Amino acid sequence: MESKMEKTDWLFLGLCLLLGILAEESFFRGQIGISYLVFLMAFYAVFFWRYRRFSFTHQRFGYLVLCCIWLLAASYFLNDNKFFNVLNILVIPALVVFHIVIVTSPKSMQWNKIWFIPYLFLRLLDAIKYDAAMTKLIGSGVKRGVDEDKFIIWKKVFIGILISIPVLFVVLSLLMSADTQFERIMGGIPNWFEVLDAEGMIRLIVILIFTAAFFGFMQVLIKKQIEVIKQPEFQPGLKVDAIITITVLCLINIVYLLFTVVQFKYFFSGTLQGDYTYAEYARKGFFELLFVTIINLSIIVVVLTFVGLTSHFIKRFTQILLTLLVFSSAVTLCSAFIRLSMYEDAYGFTFIRVMAHSFMIFLVIIFTYTLVKVWIERLSLFHFFFISSLLYYTAMMVIDPNQIVVTKNLDRYELTGKIDVHHFDSLSYTGVLGLIDLYEKDKNIEGLTQILEVRQKEALTEDGTWQSYNLKREQAFLELRKLNLK
């Protein structure tokens, strides 16, 4: 690995150090809010400055991924969904790495092909190697002014200390539990080292880790381009026999035909067999039907990928069977959708139920494209699946399912008079705003005033940092401070 540093490289290292400081300030000083957006602005400012003379590739797709990254980061500032906030801790960095690698990769690199995955990991591995080379270079500079024998001695002492730490931890724990006086003496040792700022040391290590990650990764992408050999189209080694496949598809379609007849009898005749209520029937079958639908999609993808169609008749017959399977899946999805709607009418809306509804709509889009793929072979399933999944995930972040839950439950309360205020309270500050609207309509709802009193006390005493600033939270706190609870 080339470790020679030019003036621009040293300047870039300084900027990466500032980015490391900002990253530590943004992510380790409290709840993440607007800080994620601020950090991304700084990160991409440094990135585009470093690559100001670089000719980017895959630009249209790169802009799409970049827009999704910005929208996901903005959700920390605009909304307050705990589930998505935790998930985005992994999703956003993964998308940033993916975006930077794809726009700096050679034009011949196709991101929707299987060999892009090892290419991506090679880039990450090269970044680690680059950081290791830079550490060695800096270490050589430090050693230059130190006697070699003394350096080796201190190195061995340091290794000995590291080896001793786990042993000392066990021994000291046993001795302290055996003798109270010894435990009191050892317990006072931390006070001897109050001059050392342990928290500051940890934060310094975090900053250095971030700095090394940013510097090594972006340096490798701009300095060392991997020569990409044109790979042949993916040809799976495993081929499934067409006759076996047709037999399986015929049997599955027969089962779905019977299921479809039963579903039409239940949902379009207005009657249910047995002693089930609509809510019980919905709860009994929804997740099973959703799981079956995903299995169907997997079967179709496997057939399109691994089945060798040897003749024109077999090919057409297989396409017809796959088309029937898609339509059967549509009936199954429709049944699951109706069941969930009935369940929501009986028990109200929750975050999981709204997400399940949205996921079924997403599956309809996936199945529609898959049906087209059955008849037009040149289309790429992975290409569409990745882009549609990214857009679906980003759209759910922007829409904010918690807001849908609040709105739908308030509408249901107007019709039925039923409401679960404790569930509202679990929906973060979106739910709090819903509780305030509910209080203005009816102050006598059981448990509502007590929940709002706790939330109002929080609003009056909260002293948040700039990192955690969030519009939804500020709006809720403003309304809580104005609220007159009697």
Side-chain angles (χ1 to χ4, degrees):
M1 180 72 66
E2 178 63 39
S3 57
K4 184 180 179 181
M5 294 279 286
E6 299 176 358
K7 183 178 179 180
T8 305
D9 298 325
W10 286 110
L11 177 59
F12 179 58
L13 178 59
L15 291 175
C16 286
L17 178 59
L18 294 177
L19 268 184
I21 296 172
L22 180 60
E24 193 277 328
E25 284 284 336
S26 300
F27 305 133
F28 294 91
R29 296 284 182 173
Q31 184 177 348
I32 301 173
I34 196 175
S35 59
Y36 215 132
L37 204 55
V38 171
F39 170 76
L40 266 188
M41 291 172 63
F43 177 84
Y44 272 102
V46 172
F47 170 74
F48 285 117
W49 174 83
R50 186 67 179 99
Y51 287 76
R52 61 193 181 280
R53 296 187 181 90
F54 193 91
S55 180
F56 292 117
T57 58
H58 308 88
Q59 292 192 44
R60 284 189 301 176
F61 178 66
Y63 285 134
L64 173 65
V65 177
L66 184 61
C67 288
C68 291
I69 290 171
W70 282 98
L71 288 172
L72 293 178
S75 67
Y76 281 94
F77 168 60
L78 299 174
N79 301 318
D80 184 42
N81 188 303
K82 295 179 181 178
F83 174 79
F84 283 128
N85 285 352
V86 173
L87 198 58
N88 281 334
I89 292 175
L90 298 176
V91 173
I92 295 178
L95 283 176
V96 169
V97 170
F98 176 77
H99 170 251
I100 292 177
V101 171
I102 195 63
V103 297
T104 57
S105 64
K107 291 181 180 180
S108 58
M109 172 57 65
Q110 295 175 286
W111 64 268
N112 58 339
K113 300 299 181 182
I114 191 68
W115 59 82
F116 180 76
I117 297 175
Y119 175 83
L120 179 62
F121 282 100
L122 277 175
R123 304 277 68 193
L124 293 172
L125 183 61
D126 284 339
I128 295 173
K129 290 180 179 178
Y130 188 92
D131 283 330
M134 284 302 303
T135 304
K136 186 176 180 180
L137 179 66
I138 295 172
S140 300
V142 173
K143 285 171 59 178
R144 202 169 297 160
V146 181
D147 182 80
E148 183 69 22
D149 293 335
K150 291 182 179 179
F151 180 82
I152 293 174
I153 292 173
W154 282 109
K155 181 179 178 180
K156 291 180 179 179
V157 169
F158 181 72
I159 294 173
I161 292 173
L162 290 179
I163 295 174
S164 302
I165 287 175
V167 179
L168 287 173
F169 178 80
V170 174
V171 171
L172 286 173
S173 298
L174 293 172
L175 292 176
M176 288 168 67
S177 62
D179 190 282
T180 306
Q181 182 66 22
F182 183 73
E183 181 182 9
R184 186 165 56 251
I185 295 173
M186 297 305 297
I189 288 180
N191 297 327
W192 305 349
F193 300 97
E194 286 183 352
V195 66
L196 296 176
D197 185 2
E199 182 182 349
M201 292 294 294
I202 293 173
R203 294 190 182 279
L204 177 61
I205 293 172
V206 170
I207 290 171
L208 293 177
I209 291 173
F210 274 118
T211 302
F214 300 147
F215 181 72
F217 188 57
M218 287 192 272
Q219 281 289 93
V220 160
L221 292 179
I222 201 171
K223 282 183 173 294
K224 182 186 178 185
Q225 290 296 312
I226 293 179
E227 194 67 31
V228 179
I229 301 174
K230 181 64 178 177
Q231 300 286 342
E233 288 297 318
F234 174 65
Q235 297 293 338
L238 175 64
K239 282 289 185 180
V240 181
D241 184 79
I243 302 300
I244 296 175
T245 302
I246 289 174
T247 304
V248 173
L249 289 176
C250 286
L251 292 174
I252 291 175
N253 277 310
I254 290 172
V255 172
Y256 280 125
L257 178 62
L258 295 174
F259 178 79
T260 301
V261 171
V262 173
Q263 293 304 295
F264 274 89
K265 181 178 179 180
Y266 282 172
F267 292 116
F268 295 98
S269 66
T271 60
L272 288 174
Q273 293 182 354
D275 298 326
Y276 289 120
T277 65
Y278 276 111
E280 290 170 340
Y281 189 70
R283 179 176 56 202
K284 185 175 185 296
F286 165 72
F287 286 106
E288 290 86 344
L289 291 178
L290 193 59
F291 186 64
V292 165
T293 305
I294 296 174
I295 291 176
N296 291 350
L297 181 61
S298 302
I299 291 172
I300 296 170
V301 172
V302 168
V303 171
L304 291 174
T305 305
F306 295 101
V307 175
L309 304 177
T310 55
S311 68
H312 179 75
F313 172 76
I314 291 178
K315 178 179 178 180
R316 286 288 177 262
F317 192 47
T318 303
Q319 288 174 324
I320 291 170
L321 291 174
L322 289 176
T323 301
L324 290 175
L325 188 57
V326 170
F327 282 115
S328 299
S329 301
V331 173
T332 307
L333 270 178
C334 182
S335 175
F337 196 91
I338 293 173
R339 289 168 187 256
L340 184 57
S341 297
M342 291 190 301
Y343 195 69
E344 287 170 336
D345 289 339
Y347 297 105
F349 295 80
T350 65
F351 173 78
I352 294 177
R353 293 167 196 165
V354 169
M355 287 300 298
H357 264 308
S358 69
F359 184 66
M360 284 188 283
I361 295 171
F362 170 67
L363 283 178
V364 170
I365 298 172
I366 290 294
F367 272 107
T368 302
Y369 182 85
T370 305
L371 178 60
V372 178
K373 164 66 177 176
V374 169
W375 295 94
I376 304 177
E377 297 178 33
R378 68 177 181 272
L379 297 178
S380 171
L381 281 179
F382 178 77
H383 186 278
F384 182 81
F385 285 178
F386 181 86
I387 293 179
S388 58
S389 299
L390 180 60
L391 291 176
Y392 164 71
Y393 182 80
T394 306
M396 295 310 299
M397 292 292 302
V398 174
I399 293 172
D400 187 16
N402 281 347
Q403 186 61 58
I404 298 175
V405 173
V406 169
T407 303
K408 289 290 186 181
N409 279 320
L410 287 176
D411 293 340
R412 180 173 177 269
Y413 174 73
E414 295 290 338
L415 295 174
T416 64
K418 298 178 180 179
I419 197 75
D420 185 353
V421 293
H422 296 286
H423 179 64
F424 268 52
D425 191 39
S426 69
L427 298 175
S428 66
Y429 297 105
T430 303
V432 173
L433 289 170
L435 290 175
I436 294 172
D437 291 340
L438 196 61
Y439 183 79
E440 292 174 350
K441 294 176 183 178
D442 187 355
K443 297 179 173 61
N444 299 318
I445 298 176
E446 184 180 355
L448 178 58
T449 303
Q450 290 84 348
I451 293 174
L452 287 176
E453 285 175 348
V454 173
R455 288 292 190 170
Q456 189 178 60
K457 184 178 180 180
E458 177 189 354
L460 294 173
T461 58
E462 180 71 18
D463 185 21
T465 59
W466 72 268
Q467 291 94 334
S468 60
Y469 185 83
N470 176 273
L471 280 181
K472 191 74 70 175
R473 186 184 69 172
E474 291 303 313
Q475 182 183 355
F477 280 2
L478 180 63
E479 294 297 325
L480 285 168
R481 293 184 187 111
K482 294 191 299 183
L483 194 63
N484 184 22
L485 297 172
K486 294 182 180 179

